[in-house]
Amino acid sequence: MSELVVTDLHATVGGKEILKGVSLTIRSGEVHAVMGPNGSGKSTLSHVITGKPGYTVTGGSVTLDGVELLELAAWERAKAGLFLAMQYPTEVPGVSLEAMLTASAVAAGRDADVIKASIAAESERIGFATDLITRPLNVDLSGGEKKRNETVQLGVLEPKFAILDEIDSGLDVDAMKAVTRRVEEATNADDKPLGVLAITHYKRLFEELEPDHVHVFAAGVIQKSGGRELADELEETGYAEWAHLVDHSAPTAFDNPFGDTTFADGLNLHEG
Ligand code: ADP
Ligand code: MG
């Protein structure tokens, strides 16, 4: 049994405080859903936990089975058992899914041939076209293919904890089912069940993936926690209760490491 413990986490980006004291404990096999308005800091939370550069942690801790992750590089956190399914999966020209996964798994002490077989099996399991395994990672893939691709990685790498940042965005009904069913199965595994932090806007994610806890995230903190019924409530009422807490002051273009460019807009950095 493993435990991912986030304690009073504070972080800034572009000189603006986005995470304002997040505390959350996830155990193996548990699914925690995080729902909240656009711009509230949900992706920032996923990035800070997994170690994406560009964020400054100003307080708090994130431990996995007692090991402080905030002192580790992103790859070391991955090796410790953490996985991020990105909201906007990165395109990596020149590197195939197979090459990337084989390198990751071999670095973790696993056998390359076993990994190849596992990639094939996982792809088949969720309907990821096998010819995409050897194509450049995410390049020219549709939204649905990208999220299936992330899910193949999750299945092959067998992390202890997965953060799913809007894995339901850009998916058609079939892809949605395949992806969420696969994640739910991982959480129910007899051996090493997966713990999940699922960021989403829609309770349709929970048709296959069973949430144990639902958290409302707004203005950089968890405002309210409950069970599945909280997701139903949110679909009725929205986030009006917390709207007055939202800080609409935008970070300045000068502070933004991505700059105020058309390219950055194309990446939807400020959306969702
Ligand atoms: P969510 O995922 O909840 O929609 P984000 O975590 O993506 O929210 O963003 C939270 C806030 O942080 C937003 O106001 C966003 O504009 C800002 N932000 C995110 N990344 C950066 C960055 N690299 N530079 C400056 N501001 C950023
Ligand atoms: Mg986001």
Side-chain angles (χ1 to χ4, degrees), residues 127-216:
F128 182 68
T130 45
D131 57 314
L132 299 178
I133 293 171
T134 48
R135 288 233 316 254
L137 191 63
N138 284 319
V139 176
D140 296 332
L141 261 53
S142 72
E145 285 166 341
K146 283 184 181 173
K147 298 297 170 104
R148 277 189 159 103
N149 179 328
E150 299 280 290
T151 309
V152 170
Q153 295 174 38
L154 175 83
V156 171
L157 293 173
E158 300 179 344
K160 291 179 178 146
F161 292 96
I163 301 177
L164 314 176
D165 193 356
E166 297 197 26
I167 196 142
D168 48 348
S169 71
L171 289 187
D172 61 42
V173 181
D174 293 338
M176 174 85 166
K177 261 214 161 83
V179 162
T180 49
R181 185 175 294 160
R182 178 66 190 93
V183 178
E184 173 66 20
E185 284 166 5
T187 66
N188 293 327
D190 293 332
D191 186 31
K192 297 184 283 179
L194 178 72
V196 174
L197 176 67
I199 295 168
T200 185
H201 285 296
Y202 305 105
K203 67 173 192 183
R204 63 176 185 213
L205 184 78
F206 311 138
E207 280 170 25
E208 300 284 338
L209 183 64
E210 186 69 40
D212 301 292
H213 302 274
V214 174
H215 308 280
V216 180

Coordinates of all heavy atoms in Angstrom, one line a residue, residues 127-216:
G127 N -7.6 0.0 -27.8 CA -7.9 0.4 -29.2 C -7.0 1.5 -29.7 O -7.4 2.4 -30.5
F128 N -5.7 1.4 -29.3 CA -4.7 2.4 -29.9 C -4.1 1.7 -31.1 O -3.5 0.6 -31.0 CB -3.6 2.7 -28.8 CG -2.6 3.7 -29.2 CD1 -3.0 5.1 -29.4 CD2 -1.3 3.3 -29.4 CE1 -2.0 6.0 -29.8 CE2 -0.3 4.3 -29.8 CZ -0.7 5.6 -30.0
A129 N -4.2 2.4 -32.3 CA -3.7 1.8 -33.5 C -2.2 1.4 -33.4 O -1.4 2.3 -33.1 CB -4.0 2.7 -34.7
T130 N -1.9 0.2 -33.7 CA -0.5 -0.3 -33.5 C 0.5 0.4 -34.4 O 1.7 0.4 -34.0 CB -0.4 -1.8 -33.6 OG1 -1.1 -2.2 -34.8 CG2 -1.1 -2.5 -32.4
D131 N 0.0 0.9 -35.5 CA 1.0 1.6 -36.4 C 1.5 2.9 -35.8 O 2.5 3.4 -36.2 CB 0.5 1.8 -37.8 CG -0.8 2.6 -37.8 OD1 -1.7 2.3 -37.0 OD2 -0.9 3.5 -38.6
L132 N 0.8 3.4 -34.8 CA 1.2 4.6 -34.1 C 2.3 4.4 -33.1 O 2.9 5.4 -32.7 CB 0.0 5.3 -33.4 CG -1.2 5.7 -34.3 CD1 -2.3 6.3 -33.5 CD2 -0.7 6.7 -35.4
I133 N 2.5 3.2 -32.7 CA 3.5 2.8 -31.7 C 4.9 3.3 -32.2 O 5.8 3.7 -31.3 CB 3.5 1.3 -31.4 CG1 2.2 0.9 -30.7 CG2 4.7 0.9 -30.5 CD1 2.0 -0.6 -30.5
T134 N 5.2 3.1 -33.4 CA 6.5 3.4 -33.9 C 6.6 4.8 -34.6 O 7.7 5.2 -35.1 CB 7.0 2.3 -34.9 OG1 5.9 2.1 -35.9 CG2 7.3 1.0 -34.2
R135 N 5.5 5.5 -34.7 CA 5.5 6.9 -35.2 C 6.0 7.9 -34.2 O 5.9 7.6 -33.0 CB 4.1 7.3 -35.7 CG 3.7 6.6 -37.0 CD 3.2 7.6 -38.1 NE 2.4 8.6 -37.5 CZ 1.1 8.7 -37.7 NH1 0.4 7.8 -38.4 NH2 0.4 9.7 -37.2
P136 N 6.5 9.1 -34.6 CA 6.9 10.1 -33.6 C 5.8 10.4 -32.6 O 4.6 10.5 -32.9 CB 7.2 11.3 -34.4 CG 7.4 10.8 -35.8 CD 6.6 9.6 -36.0
L137 N 6.2 10.5 -31.3 CA 5.3 10.6 -30.2 C 4.4 11.8 -30.3 O 4.8 12.9 -30.4 CB 6.2 10.7 -28.9 CG 5.4 10.6 -27.6 CD1 4.8 9.2 -27.4 CD2 6.4 10.9 -26.4
N138 N 3.1 11.5 -30.4 CA 2.0 12.5 -30.4 C 2.0 13.4 -31.7 O 1.1 14.2 -31.8 CB 2.1 13.4 -29.2 CG 1.5 12.7 -28.0 OD1 0.5 12.0 -28.1 ND2 2.2 12.9 -26.9
V139 N 3.0 13.3 -32.6 CA 3.0 14.2 -33.7 C 1.8 13.8 -34.7 O 1.7 12.7 -35.1 CB 4.4 14.1 -34.5 CG1 4.3 14.9 -35.7 CG2 5.5 14.5 -33.5
D140 N 1.0 14.9 -35.0 CA -0.1 14.7 -35.9 C -1.2 13.8 -35.4 O -2.0 13.3 -36.2 CB 0.3 14.3 -37.3 CG 1.2 15.4 -37.9 OD1 1.0 16.6 -37.6 OD2 2.0 15.0 -38.8
L141 N -1.2 13.4 -34.1 CA -2.2 12.5 -33.6 C -3.5 13.4 -33.3 O -3.4 14.5 -32.9 CB -1.7 11.8 -32.3 CG -1.2 10.4 -32.5 CD1 -0.2 10.3 -33.5 CD2 -0.7 9.9 -31.1
S142 N -4.6 12.7 -33.4 CA -5.9 13.4 -33.0 C -6.0 13.5 -31.5 O -5.2 12.8 -30.8 CB -7.1 12.6 -33.5 OG -7.2 11.4 -32.8
G143 N -6.9 14.3 -31.0 CA -7.1 14.4 -29.6 C -7.3 13.1 -28.9 O -6.7 12.8 -27.9
G144 N -8.1 12.3 -29.5 CA -8.4 10.9 -28.9 C -7.2 10.0 -28.9 O -7.0 9.3 -28.0
E145 N -6.5 10.1 -30.0 CA -5.3 9.2 -30.1 C -4.2 9.6 -29.1 O -3.5 8.8 -28.5 CB -4.7 9.3 -31.5 CG -5.5 8.5 -32.6 CD -5.1 8.9 -34.0 OE1 -4.5 9.9 -34.3 OE2 -5.4 8.1 -34.9
K146 N -4.1 10.9 -28.9 CA -3.1 11.4 -27.9 C -3.5 10.9 -26.5 O -2.6 10.5 -25.7 CB -3.1 13.0 -27.8 CG -2.3 13.5 -29.0 CD -2.2 15.1 -28.9 CE -1.4 15.6 -30.1 NZ -1.4 17.0 -30.2
K147 N -4.8 10.9 -26.1 CA -5.2 10.5 -24.8 C -5.1 9.0 -24.7 O -4.8 8.4 -23.6 CB -6.5 11.0 -24.4 CG -6.6 12.6 -24.4 CD -5.7 13.2 -23.3 CE -5.6 14.7 -23.4 NZ -6.4 15.4 -22.4
R148 N -5.3 8.3 -25.8 CA -5.1 6.8 -25.7 C -3.6 6.5 -25.6 O -3.3 5.6 -24.8 CB -5.6 6.2 -27.0 CG -7.1 5.9 -27.1 CD -7.5 5.1 -28.3 NE -8.7 4.4 -28.3 CZ -9.8 4.8 -28.9 NH1 -9.9 5.9 -29.6 NH2 -10.9 4.0 -28.8
N149 N -2.8 7.3 -26.3 CA -1.4 7.2 -26.2 C -0.9 7.3 -24.7 O -0.1 6.5 -24.2 CB -0.8 8.3 -27.1 CG 0.7 8.3 -27.1 OD1 1.4 8.0 -26.1 ND2 1.3 8.7 -28.2
E150 N -1.4 8.4 -24.0 CA -1.1 8.6 -22.6 C -1.5 7.4 -21.8 O -0.8 7.0 -20.9 CB -1.8 9.8 -22.1 CG -1.5 11.1 -22.8 CD -0.2 11.7 -22.3 OE1 -0.1 12.2 -21.2 OE2 0.8 11.7 -23.1
T151 N -2.6 6.8 -22.2 CA -3.1 5.6 -21.4 C -2.3 4.4 -21.6 O -2.1 3.6 -20.7 CB -4.6 5.4 -21.7 OG1 -5.3 6.7 -21.6 CG2 -5.3 4.4 -20.8
V152 N -1.8 4.2 -22.9 CA -0.9 3.1 -23.1 C 0.3 3.2 -22.2 O 0.8 2.3 -21.6 CB -0.5 3.0 -24.6 CG1 0.7 2.0 -24.8 CG2 -1.6 2.7 -25.5
Q153 N 0.9 4.4 -22.1 CA 2.0 4.7 -21.3 C 1.7 4.3 -19.8 O 2.6 3.7 -19.2 CB 2.4 6.2 -21.4 CG 2.9 6.6 -22.7 CD 3.2 8.1 -22.8 OE1 3.6 8.7 -21.8 NE2 2.8 8.7 -23.9
L154 N 0.6 4.7 -19.4 CA 0.2 4.4 -18.0 C 0.1 2.9 -17.8 O 0.6 2.4 -16.8 CB -1.2 5.1 -17.8 CG -1.9 4.8 -16.4 CD1 -1.4 5.7 -15.4 CD2 -3.4 4.9 -16.6
G155 N -0.5 2.2 -18.7 CA -0.6 0.8 -18.6 C 0.7 0.0 -18.6 O 0.9 -0.9 -17.9
V156 N 1.6 0.5 -19.4 CA 2.9 -0.1 -19.6 C 3.8 0.2 -18.4 O 4.5 -0.7 -17.8 CB 3.6 0.3 -20.9 CG1 5.1 -0.2 -20.9 CG2 2.9 -0.2 -22.1
L157 N 3.8 1.4 -17.9 CA 4.8 1.9 -16.9 C 4.4 1.5 -15.5 O 5.2 1.5 -14.6 CB 5.0 3.4 -17.0 CG 5.7 3.9 -18.3 CD1 5.8 5.4 -18.3 CD2 7.1 3.3 -18.3
E158 N 3.1 1.1 -15.3 CA 2.6 0.7 -14.0 C 3.0 1.6 -12.9 O 3.7 1.1 -11.9 CB 3.0 -0.8 -13.8 CG 2.5 -1.7 -14.8 CD 3.0 -3.2 -14.5 OE1 3.9 -3.4 -13.8 OE2 2.4 -4.1 -15.1
P159 N 2.7 2.9 -12.9 CA 3.0 3.7 -11.8 C 2.2 3.4 -10.6 O 1.2 2.7 -10.6 CB 2.7 5.1 -12.3 CG 1.5 4.9 -13.3 CD 1.8 3.5 -13.9
K160 N 2.7 4.0 -9.4 CA 1.9 3.8 -8.2 C 0.8 4.8 -8.2 O -0.3 4.5 -7.7 CB 2.8 4.1 -7.0 CG 3.8 3.0 -6.8 CD 4.7 3.3 -5.6 CE 5.7 2.2 -5.4 NZ 7.0 2.7 -4.9
F161 N 1.0 6.0 -8.7 CA 0.0 7.1 -8.7 C 0.0 7.8 -10.1 O 1.1 8.0 -10.7 CB 0.3 8.1 -7.6 CG 0.1 7.6 -6.3 CD1 1.2 7.1 -5.6 CD2 -1.1 7.5 -5.7 CE1 1.1 6.6 -4.3 CE2 -1.3 7.0 -4.5 CZ -0.2 6.5 -3.7
A162 N -1.2 8.0 -10.6 CA -1.3 8.7 -11.9 C -2.2 10.0 -11.7 O -3.2 10.0 -10.9 CB -2.0 7.8 -12.9
I163 N -1.7 11.1 -12.2 CA -2.5 12.3 -12.3 C -3.0 12.4 -13.7 O -2.2 12.4 -14.7 CB -1.6 13.5 -11.9 CG1 -1.0 13.3 -10.5 CG2 -2.4 14.8 -12.0 CD1 -0.1 14.4 -10.1
L164 N -4.3 12.5 -13.8 CA -4.9 12.6 -15.2 C -5.4 14.0 -15.3 O -6.4 14.4 -14.6 CB -6.1 11.6 -15.3 CG -5.8 10.2 -14.8 CD1 -7.0 9.3 -14.9 CD2 -4.6 9.5 -15.6
D165 N -4.8 14.8 -16.1 CA -5.2 16.2 -16.3 C -6.2 16.3 -17.5 O -5.7 16.3 -18.6 CB -4.0 17.2 -16.5 CG -4.4 18.6 -16.3 OD1 -5.6 18.9 -16.1 OD2 -3.5 19.5 -16.4
E166 N -7.5 16.3 -17.2 CA -8.5 16.4 -18.2 C -8.3 15.3 -19.3 O -8.2 15.7 -20.5 CB -8.6 17.8 -18.8 CG -9.0 18.8 -17.7 CD -9.5 20.1 -18.3 OE1 -10.0 20.1 -19.4 OE2 -9.4 21.1 -17.6
I167 N -8.1 14.1 -18.9 CA -7.9 13.0 -19.8 C -9.2 12.9 -20.7 O -9.1 12.3 -21.8 CB -7.6 11.7 -19.1 CG1 -7.0 10.7 -20.1 CG2 -8.7 11.1 -18.3 CD1 -5.9 9.9 -19.6
D168 N -10.3 13.4 -20.3 CA -11.6 13.3 -21.0 C -11.7 14.4 -22.1 O -12.6 14.4 -22.9 CB -12.8 13.4 -20.1 CG -12.7 14.5 -19.1 OD1 -11.6 15.1 -18.9 OD2 -13.7 14.7 -18.4
S169 N -10.8 15.4 -22.1 CA -11.0 16.5 -23.1 C -10.6 16.0 -24.5 O -9.5 15.4 -24.6 CB -10.2 17.7 -22.7 OG -8.8 17.5 -22.8
G170 N -11.4 16.4 -25.4 CA -11.1 16.0 -26.8 C -11.3 14.5 -27.2 O -10.8 14.1 -28.2
L171 N -12.1 13.8 -26.3 CA -12.3 12.4 -26.6 C -13.7 12.2 -27.1 O -14.7 12.8 -26.5 CB -12.1 11.6 -25.3 CG -10.7 11.4 -24.8 CD1 -10.7 10.5 -23.6 CD2 -9.8 10.9 -25.8
D172 N -13.9 11.3 -28.0 CA -15.2 10.9 -28.4 C -15.7 9.8 -27.4 O -14.9 9.3 -26.5 CB -15.3 10.4 -29.8 CG -14.4 9.2 -30.1 OD1 -14.4 8.2 -29.2 OD2 -13.8 9.1 -31.1
V173 N -16.9 9.4 -27.5 CA -17.5 8.5 -26.5 C -16.8 7.2 -26.3 O -16.5 6.7 -25.2 CB -19.0 8.2 -26.8 CG1 -19.7 7.3 -25.8 CG2 -19.8 9.5 -26.9
D174 N -16.4 6.6 -27.5 CA -15.7 5.3 -27.4 C -14.3 5.4 -26.8 O -13.9 4.6 -26.0 CB -15.5 4.8 -28.9 CG -16.9 4.4 -29.5 OD1 -17.8 4.2 -28.7 OD2 -17.0 4.3 -30.7
A175 N -13.6 6.5 -27.2 CA -12.2 6.7 -26.6 C -12.3 6.9 -25.1 O -11.5 6.4 -24.3 CB -11.5 7.8 -27.3
M176 N -13.3 7.7 -24.8 CA -13.6 8.0 -23.4 C -13.8 6.7 -22.5 O -13.2 6.5 -21.5 CB -14.8 8.8 -23.3 CG -15.3 9.1 -22.0 SD -14.4 10.6 -21.4 CE -15.5 10.9 -20.1
K177 N -14.6 5.8 -23.1 CA -14.9 4.6 -22.4 C -13.6 3.7 -22.3 O -13.3 3.2 -21.2 CB -15.9 3.8 -23.2 CG -17.3 3.9 -22.7 CD -18.1 2.6 -23.0 CE -19.3 2.5 -22.1 NZ -20.4 3.2 -22.6
A178 N -12.9 3.6 -23.4 CA -11.7 2.8 -23.4 C -10.7 3.3 -22.4 O -10.1 2.5 -21.6 CB -11.1 2.8 -24.8
V179 N -10.5 4.6 -22.4 CA -9.4 5.2 -21.5 C -9.8 5.1 -20.0 O -9.1 4.6 -19.2 CB -9.2 6.6 -21.9 CG1 -8.5 7.4 -20.8 CG2 -8.4 6.7 -23.2
T180 N -11.1 5.5 -19.7 CA -11.5 5.5 -18.3 C -11.6 4.0 -17.8 O -11.3 3.8 -16.6 CB -12.8 6.3 -18.1 OG1 -13.7 5.8 -19.0 CG2 -12.5 7.7 -18.3
R181 N -12.1 3.1 -18.6 CA -12.2 1.7 -18.2 C -10.8 1.2 -17.8 O -10.6 0.5 -16.8 CB -12.8 0.9 -19.3 CG -13.1 -0.5 -18.8 CD -13.9 -1.3 -19.9 NE -15.2 -0.7 -20.1 CZ -15.9 -0.9 -21.2 NH1 -15.4 -1.6 -22.2 NH2 -17.1 -0.4 -21.3
R182 N -9.8 1.5 -18.7 CA -8.5 1.0 -18.4 C -7.9 1.5 -17.1 O -7.3 0.8 -16.3 CB -7.5 1.4 -19.6 CG -6.1 1.0 -19.4 CD -6.0 -0.6 -19.4 NE -4.7 -1.1 -19.0 CZ -4.4 -1.4 -17.7 NH1 -5.3 -1.4 -16.8 NH2 -3.2 -1.9 -17.4
V183 N -8.2 2.8 -16.8 CA -7.7 3.4 -15.6 C -8.4 2.8 -14.4 O -7.8 2.4 -13.4 CB -7.9 4.9 -15.6 CG1 -7.4 5.5 -14.2 CG2 -7.1 5.6 -16.7
E184 N -9.7 2.6 -14.5 CA -10.5 2.0 -13.4 C -9.9 0.5 -13.1 O -9.8 0.2 -12.0 CB -12.0 1.9 -13.8 CG -12.9 1.1 -12.8 CD -13.0 1.7 -11.5 OE1 -12.8 2.9 -11.3 OE2 -13.4 1.0 -10.5
E185 N -9.6 -0.2 -14.2 CA -9.1 -1.6 -14.0 C -7.8 -1.5 -13.2 O -7.5 -2.3 -12.4 CB -8.9 -2.3 -15.4 CG -10.2 -2.7 -15.9 CD -10.1 -3.1 -17.4 OE1 -9.0 -3.1 -18.0 OE2 -11.2 -3.4 -18.0
A186 N -6.9 -0.5 -13.6 CA -5.7 -0.4 -12.9 C -5.9 -0.1 -11.4 O -5.1 -0.5 -10.5 CB -4.8 0.7 -13.5
T187 N -6.9 0.6 -11.1 CA -7.2 1.0 -9.6 C -7.7 -0.3 -8.9 O -7.7 -0.3 -7.7 CB -8.2 2.1 -9.5 OG1 -9.5 1.7 -9.9 CG2 -7.8 3.4 -10.2
N188 N -8.2 -1.2 -9.6 CA -8.7 -2.4 -9.0 C -7.8 -3.6 -9.0 O -8.2 -4.7 -8.6 CB -10.1 -2.9 -9.7 CG -11.1 -1.8 -9.5 OD1 -11.2 -1.2 -8.4 ND2 -12.0 -1.6 -10.5
A189 N -6.6 -3.4 -9.5 CA -5.6 -4.5 -9.6 C -5.4 -5.1 -8.2 O -5.3 -4.4 -7.2 CB -4.3 -4.0 -10.2
D190 N -5.3 -6.5 -8.2 CA -5.0 -7.1 -6.9 C -3.6 -6.8 -6.4 O -3.4 -6.5 -5.2 CB -5.1 -8.7 -7.1 CG -6.5 -9.1 -7.4 OD1 -7.5 -8.4 -7.0 OD2 -6.7 -10.2 -8.1
D191 N -2.7 -6.7 -7.4 CA -1.3 -6.4 -7.1 C -1.1 -4.9 -7.4 O -1.4 -4.5 -8.5 CB -0.5 -7.3 -7.9 CG 1.0 -7.2 -7.6 OD1 1.3 -6.9 -6.4 OD2 1.8 -7.4 -8.5
K192 N -0.6 -4.2 -6.5 CA -0.3 -2.8 -6.7 C -1.4 -2.0 -7.3 O -1.2 -1.5 -8.5 CB 1.0 -2.7 -7.5 CG 2.2 -3.3 -6.9 CD 3.5 -3.0 -7.7 CE 3.6 -4.0 -8.9 NZ 4.7 -3.8 -9.8
P193 N -2.5 -1.8 -6.7 CA -3.6 -1.0 -7.3 C -3.2 0.5 -7.5 O -2.5 1.0 -6.6 CB -4.8 -1.2 -6.4 CG -4.2 -1.6 -5.1 CD -2.9 -2.3 -5.4
L194 N -3.6 1.1 -8.6 CA -3.2 2.5 -8.9 C -4.0 3.5 -8.1 O -5.2 3.3 -7.9 CB -3.5 2.7 -10.4 CG -3.2 4.1 -10.9 CD1 -1.7 4.3 -11.0 CD2 -3.8 4.2 -12.3
G195 N -3.3 4.5 -7.6 CA -4.0 5.6 -7.0 C -4.1 6.7 -8.0 O -3.2 6.9 -8.8
V196 N -5.3 7.4 -8.1 CA -5.5 8.4 -9.1 C -5.9 9.7 -8.6 O -6.8 9.8 -7.7 CB -6.6 7.8 -10.1 CG1 -7.0 8.9 -11.1 CG2 -6.1 6.6 -10.8
L197 N -5.4 10.8 -9.2 CA -5.9 12.1 -9.0 C -6.4 12.6 -10.4 O -5.6 12.7 -11.4 CB -4.7 13.1 -8.6 CG -5.0 14.5 -8.5 CD1 -6.0 14.8 -7.3 CD2 -3.8 15.4 -8.2
A198 N -7.7 12.6 -10.6 CA -8.3 12.9 -11.9 C -8.9 14.3 -11.9 O -9.9 14.6 -11.2 CB -9.4 11.8 -12.1
I199 N -8.3 15.2 -12.7 CA -8.8 16.5 -12.9 C -9.8 16.5 -14.0 O -9.5 15.9 -15.1 CB -7.6 17.5 -13.3 CG1 -6.6 17.5 -12.1 CG2 -8.1 18.8 -13.7 CD1 -5.3 18.2 -12.4
T200 N -11.0 17.0 -13.8 CA -12.0 17.0 -14.8 C -13.0 18.0 -14.6 O -13.2 18.6 -13.5 CB -12.7 15.6 -14.9 OG1 -13.6 15.6 -16.0 CG2 -13.5 15.3 -13.6
H201 N -13.8 18.3 -15.7 CA -14.9 19.3 -15.6 C -16.2 18.5 -15.6 O -17.2 19.1 -15.3 CB -14.9 20.2 -16.8 CG -13.9 21.3 -16.7 ND1 -13.9 22.3 -15.7 CD2 -12.8 21.6 -17.5 CE1 -12.9 23.1 -15.9 NE2 -12.2 22.7 -16.9
Y202 N -16.2 17.2 -16.0 CA -17.4 16.6 -16.3 C -17.6 15.2 -15.6 O -16.7 14.4 -15.6 CB -17.5 16.3 -17.8 CG -17.3 17.6 -18.6 CD1 -16.2 17.8 -19.3 CD2 -18.3 18.5 -18.6 CE1 -16.0 19.0 -20.0 CE2 -18.2 19.7 -19.3 CZ -17.0 19.9 -20.0 OH -16.8 21.1 -20.7
K203 N -18.7 15.0 -15.0 CA -19.0 13.8 -14.3 C -19.1 12.6 -15.2 O -19.2 11.5 -14.7 CB -20.1 13.9 -13.3 CG -21.5 14.1 -14.0 CD -22.6 14.0 -12.9 CE -23.9 13.9 -13.6 NZ -25.0 13.9 -12.7
R204 N -19.2 12.8 -16.5 CA -19.2 11.7 -17.4 C -18.0 10.9 -17.3 O -17.9 9.7 -17.7 CB -19.4 12.2 -18.9 CG -18.3 13.0 -19.4 CD -18.4 13.4 -20.8 NE -17.1 14.1 -21.1 CZ -17.0 15.1 -22.0 NH1 -18.0 15.5 -22.6 NH2 -15.8 15.7 -22.1
L205 N -16.9 11.5 -16.8 CA -15.7 10.7 -16.6 C -15.9 9.6 -15.6 O -15.3 8.5 -15.6 CB -14.6 11.6 -15.9 CG -13.2 11.0 -15.7 CD1 -12.4 10.9 -17.0 CD2 -12.4 11.8 -14.7
F206 N -16.9 9.7 -14.7 CA -17.2 8.8 -13.7 C -18.1 7.6 -14.1 O -18.6 6.9 -13.3 CB -17.7 9.5 -12.4 CG -16.9 10.7 -12.0 CD1 -17.5 11.8 -11.6 CD2 -15.5 10.7 -12.1 CE1 -16.8 13.0 -11.2 CE2 -14.8 11.8 -11.7 CZ -15.4 12.9 -11.3
E207 N -18.5 7.6 -15.4 CA -19.3 6.5 -15.8 C -18.5 5.2 -15.7 O -19.1 4.1 -15.4 CB -19.8 6.7 -17.3 CG -20.9 7.7 -17.3 CD -21.3 8.1 -18.7 OE1 -21.0 7.4 -19.7 OE2 -21.9 9.2 -18.8
E208 N -17.2 5.2 -16.0 CA -16.4 4.0 -15.9 C -15.4 4.1 -14.7 O -15.2 3.1 -14.0 CB -15.5 3.8 -17.1 CG -16.3 3.7 -18.4 CD -17.0 2.3 -18.5 OE1 -16.5 1.3 -17.9 OE2 -17.9 2.2 -19.3
L209 N -14.9 5.3 -14.4 CA -14.0 5.5 -13.4 C -14.7 5.9 -12.1 O -15.3 7.0 -12.1 CB -12.9 6.6 -13.8 CG -11.8 6.9 -12.8 CD1 -10.9 5.7 -12.6 CD2 -11.0 8.1 -13.3
E210 N -14.6 5.1 -11.1 CA -15.4 5.3 -9.9 C -14.7 6.2 -8.9 O -13.6 5.8 -8.3 CB -15.6 3.9 -9.2 CG -16.5 3.8 -8.0 CD -18.0 4.1 -8.4 OE1 -18.4 3.7 -9.4 OE2 -18.6 4.8 -7.6
P211 N -15.1 7.4 -8.6 CA -14.4 8.3 -7.7 C -14.7 8.0 -6.2 O -15.9 7.8 -5.9 CB -14.9 9.7 -8.0 CG -16.3 9.5 -8.6 CD -16.3 8.1 -9.2
D212 N -13.7 7.9 -5.4 CA -13.9 7.7 -4.0 C -14.1 9.0 -3.3 O -14.8 9.1 -2.3 CB -12.7 7.0 -3.4 CG -12.5 5.6 -4.0 OD1 -13.3 4.7 -3.8 OD2 -11.5 5.5 -4.8
H213 N -13.5 10.0 -3.8 CA -13.5 11.4 -3.2 C -13.6 12.4 -4.4 O -12.9 12.2 -5.4 CB -12.3 11.7 -2.4 CG -12.1 10.7 -1.3 ND1 -12.7 10.8 0.0 CD2 -11.3 9.6 -1.2 CE1 -12.3 9.8 0.7 NE2 -11.5 9.0 0.0
V214 N -14.4 13.4 -4.2 CA -14.5 14.5 -5.1 C -14.2 15.8 -4.4 O -14.7 16.1 -3.3 CB -15.9 14.6 -5.7 CG1 -16.1 15.9 -6.6 CG2 -16.3 13.4 -6.5
H215 N -13.2 16.6 -5.0 CA -12.8 17.8 -4.4 C -13.1 19.0 -5.3 O -12.9 18.9 -6.5 CB -11.3 17.8 -4.1 CG -10.8 16.6 -3.4 ND1 -10.9 16.5 -2.0 CD2 -10.2 15.4 -3.9 CE1 -10.4 15.3 -1.7 NE2 -10.0 14.6 -2.8
V216 N -13.6 20.1 -4.7 CA -13.8 21.3 -5.5 C -12.5 22.1 -5.3 O -12.1 22.4 -4.1 CB -15.0 22.1 -4.9 CG1 -15.1 23.4 -5.7 CG2 -16.3 21.3 -5.0

